[in-house]
Amino acid sequence: MWGLVPLFWPLLKPAGAGEILAHRMVWSLAFVAVALVFVRRWAWAGELLRQPRRLALITVAAAVITVNWGVYIWAVNSGHVVEASLGYFINPLVTIAMGVLLLKERLRRVQWAAVGVGAAAVLVLTIGYGRPPWISLTLAFSFATYGLVKKKVNLGGVESLAAETAIQFLPALGYLLWLSSRDELSFSTEGPGHAALLASTGIVTALPLVCFGAAAIRVPLSTLGLLQYMAPVFQFLLGILYFHEAMPPERWAGFALVWLALTLLTWNALRTARTLRRESARPGALVGAGPRAESPASGPESPASGPQVAASGPEVAASGPEVLDSPAARP
C-alpha cells in the first residue's frame, strides 16, 4: 500500500497539495477516533495530557510529519516520484548519521562505509540534477527526525497517530475553512466522487499503519525491515514505468550508489542478527546475550533499519525497531 500510494494522490486533483494535506489530517483523526472507540483504548490520552514533555514531543512529531506528508504529496503531483522514492531509500543512512551526531552511537566499519557511499551518492545526484536533491533530503531528514522523536515518546502506532492528528486538526480545519471562504475548496465544488476521494485520505493514511502494527507482532524484525524496502522500490518503478520520469545516466549512477550503501547495511544487519542468534543459542548463554552492541538495539545496525514507516508514506518504521510505529509518517 505504501509503495502504490503515488497512484492515489494524482486522483485528488484539482485539489492542491495544501488542501490534500489538510484533508489528510482531518480525516485521519476521524478514522483513528473510530478505531479507538471500537477497541476502547482511551487511557493513554489522559496520561499523555499529564505529561507536558511527552506532549511537547508529540507536537514536534506532528510538525515534522506535516512537512513530510506535504512535501511528498506535492512531489508526487508535481512529477517528482523518483526523487521522492530516493528520500525513503536514503532515510536509513540519515537515521544512522543522526544516531552518531545526536545519540553518540558508535558504528562498525561497514556502517561507516555505507554512510560514506550514501554521501557520495548525494553528491553525484546533485551534479546530475544541477541542484541538491532537496525533495529527497527533506523527506529523509523529516522522517528520520520523526523516528527520533517517536523513540523518545514511546507511544503505540494508532495512539500516536491519533495524538498527532489531534494536534494537526484545528490548523488543518482552519485552512480548509479559509479556502472555502475564498471559493477555492475543491471538496465542495468538484462533486461527491471527488469529496469521497478526499475523505478517503484518512483510510489511505491509517490502514497501512494498522496492517503494519498487526505484522510487527507476527513477523521477525529482520524480515520486516527487508520488506520495507519494497515501498521505495515500488515508488521508483512507478516513477519510471508509469509516470515516465527521466533517468539520465548520472541519476542511475547516484541511485546505484544508494543501493550499494543499502546493500552494505542489509548485509551487516543480517550478519549481526545471525551472530546474536548463535551467541544466545550457546549452552549457558543468557537469553538476549551476545557481543556488546556498538549502538542500541534500535540503532542503525538493526535488521529493521530499512526505509518505513511509516506512518509513514511512503508513510511509517524505517529507522529501526524503536520506531516501529513510525509508519504513520509514510507518504
Side-chain angles (χ1 to χ4, degrees):
M1 285 186 277
W2 284 323
L4 298 176
V5 77
L7 297 174
F8 177 71
W9 303 125
L11 300 178
L12 305 183
K13 294 178 180 180
E19 181 182 351
I20 295 172
L21 176 62
H23 278 290
R24 184 177 190 180
M25 296 172 181
V26 169
W27 295 108
S28 293
L29 178 60
F31 184 91
V32 294
V34 171
L36 289 173
V37 168
F38 181 76
V39 299
R40 299 180 181 179
R41 292 213 309 255
W42 294 103
W44 62 271
E47 296 175 3
L48 183 63
L49 290 174
R50 292 191 295 270
Q51 298 175 315
R53 181 177 179 276
R54 291 184 77 199
L55 192 58
L57 288 172
I58 285 287
T59 303
V60 172
V64 172
I65 206 56
T66 296
V67 173
N68 185 277
W69 285 356
V71 170
Y72 186 83
I73 293 169
W74 177 86
V76 171
N77 284 359
S78 300
H80 299 285
V81 176
V82 169
E83 190 174 350
S85 75
L86 176 64
Y88 292 98
F89 277 125
I90 67 176
N91 175 70
L93 302 173
V94 175
T95 299
I96 289 176
M98 284 190 170
V100 172
L101 297 175
L102 301 180
L103 303 181
K104 307 304 180 184
E105 295 177 352
R106 291 192 299 167
L107 303 184
R108 298 179 177 87
R109 285 190 294 271
V110 173
Q111 293 170 320
W112 277 116
V115 172
V117 172
V122 172
L123 179 61
V124 170
L125 289 165
T126 297
I127 296 172
Y129 279 106
R131 57 170 174 79
W134 69 267
I135 295 174
S136 306
L137 294 174
T138 301
L139 292 174
F141 275 91
S142 60
F143 196 62
T145 302
Y146 178 79
L148 179 64
V149 174
K150 291 285 288 270
K151 177 180 179 179
K152 301 297 183 183
V153 173
N154 191 26
L155 192 63
V158 176
E159 293 88 345
S160 180
L161 182 60
E164 291 157 19
T165 51
I167 292 170
Q168 295 168 332
F169 180 79
L170 287 179
L173 183 61
Y175 179 71
L176 293 175
L177 292 174
W178 178 76
L179 287 179
S180 179
S181 69
R182 295 167 55 91
D183 294 324
E184 297 176 1
L185 187 70
S186 67
F187 182 84
S188 56
T189 60
E190 296 296 324
H194 180 71
L197 282 173
L198 285 171
S200 68
T201 54
I203 300 175
V204 169
T205 298
L207 186 58
L209 174 62
V210 173
C211 293
F212 181 89
I217 61 176
R218 294 170 172 84
V219 179
L221 285 180
S222 56
T223 304
L224 200 64
L226 293 175
L227 287 174
Q228 287 172 43
Y229 285 117
M230 292 175 63
V233 167
F234 280 10
Q235 296 160 29
F236 175 78
L237 293 175
L238 283 174
I240 295 176
L241 302 178
Y242 182 80
F243 293 103
H244 304 293
E245 294 183 14
M247 278 294 290
E250 58 272 19
R251 291 184 196 172
W252 279 111
F255 269 84
L257 288 173
V258 170
W259 295 331
L260 173 60
L262 293 179
T263 300
L264 291 173
L265 284 183
T266 303
W267 172 77
N268 180 74
L270 294 176
R271 187 184 65 171
T272 301
R274 284 195 297 268
T275 300
L276 291 174
R277 282 197 298 268
R278 285 197 300 267
E279 291 291 328
S280 63
R282 286 189 310 177
L286 294 175
V287 175
R292 185 183 62 83
E294 298 183 10
S295 59
S298 56
E301 77 279 359
S302 159
S305 59
Q308 258 181 168
V309 65
S312 104
E315 282 112 34
V316 168
S319 52
E322 80 281 0
V323 286
L324 287 180
D325 301 322
S326 64
R330 293 277 187 197

